[in-house]
Amino acid sequence: MDKQPHSPAREIIVANAIRAVANELRLIDVADYIAFIRLESLASVADIVESAAELYFMPGTLRLGHGCDAHVTWGGSPRISLDLELRPQGATVYFTLELSADNAGVEVNYVAFDNPSDDPEANSRYLADTLQASRIVRTERPLING
């Protein structure tokens, strides 16, 4: 898939939106990802993604896309690549999240808008706004003594 010309700016938007989810996904033992991927148990990986996403996004906003891959060699650190779909209202983002021991990275492959503007920057602003609107806002409730 050819990258769109505005992908770098949108990668920043997506990375900022899913930072907390990526941190949750990195809590899973890499051996579990490797086992699920090698055994082609993509439903298990999808469950992991869905469980991490439900803490931060409205249901159905983030899900596993068409696959994932484990990059494991004798001489290097393992990396897990997850093809993901972000589906906030009015847009769909197809991207790859790469997880490693020390960090996570995002590569946006394609963004589709239901009602795109002729202005790519307006589309990017819409993407940022709709992702923010899809987030679950948690507030701390005070403890009640009594």
Side-chain angles (χ1 to χ4, degrees):
M1 184 178 290
D2 292 333
K3 286 184 78 161
Q4 294 174 311
H6 302 285
S7 290
R10 293 174 183 166
E11 284 174 350
I12 293 169
I13 294 167
V14 171
N16 287 331
I18 68 155
R19 177 173 284 138
V21 176
N23 287 336
E24 291 288 331
L25 292 171
R26 287 183 61 241
L27 293 174
I28 304 301
D29 193 312
V30 71
D32 292 336
Y33 282 116
I34 293 167
F36 292 144
I37 292 168
R38 299 296 170 153
L39 295 172
E40 297 183 6
S41 181
L42 297 184
S44 297
V45 178
D47 286 344
I48 292 169
V49 170
E50 187 175 312
S51 294
E54 72 185 4
L55 298 171
Y56 302 98
F57 287 104
M58 300 301 289
T61 302
L62 180 65
R63 66 182 186 195
L64 185 66
H66 289 101
C68 46
D69 198 13
H71 307 275
V72 183
T73 64
W74 288 108
S77 297
R79 290 178 296 116
I80 303 299
S81 296
L82 303 172
D83 290 333
L84 300 175
E85 295 177 10
L86 258 174
R87 294 180 172 268
Q89 184 174 348
T92 303
V93 182
Y94 301 94
F95 69 102
T96 301
L97 175 64
E98 189 164 292
L99 304 170
S100 66
D102 298 323
N103 57 38
V106 169
E107 182 179 353
V108 171
N109 299 310
Y110 189 78
V111 181
F113 295 95
D114 292 353
N115 298 302
S117 168
D118 291 336
D119 179 8
E121 290 181 16
N123 289 333
S124 294
R125 283 191 302 274
Y126 176 80
L127 178 61
D129 292 344
T130 193
L131 283 171
Q132 183 62 34
S134 296
R135 295 188 60 78
I136 294 174
V137 178
R138 301 199 187 278
T139 57
E140 295 289 324
R141 291 191 279 189
L143 295 174
I144 300 172
N145 292 330

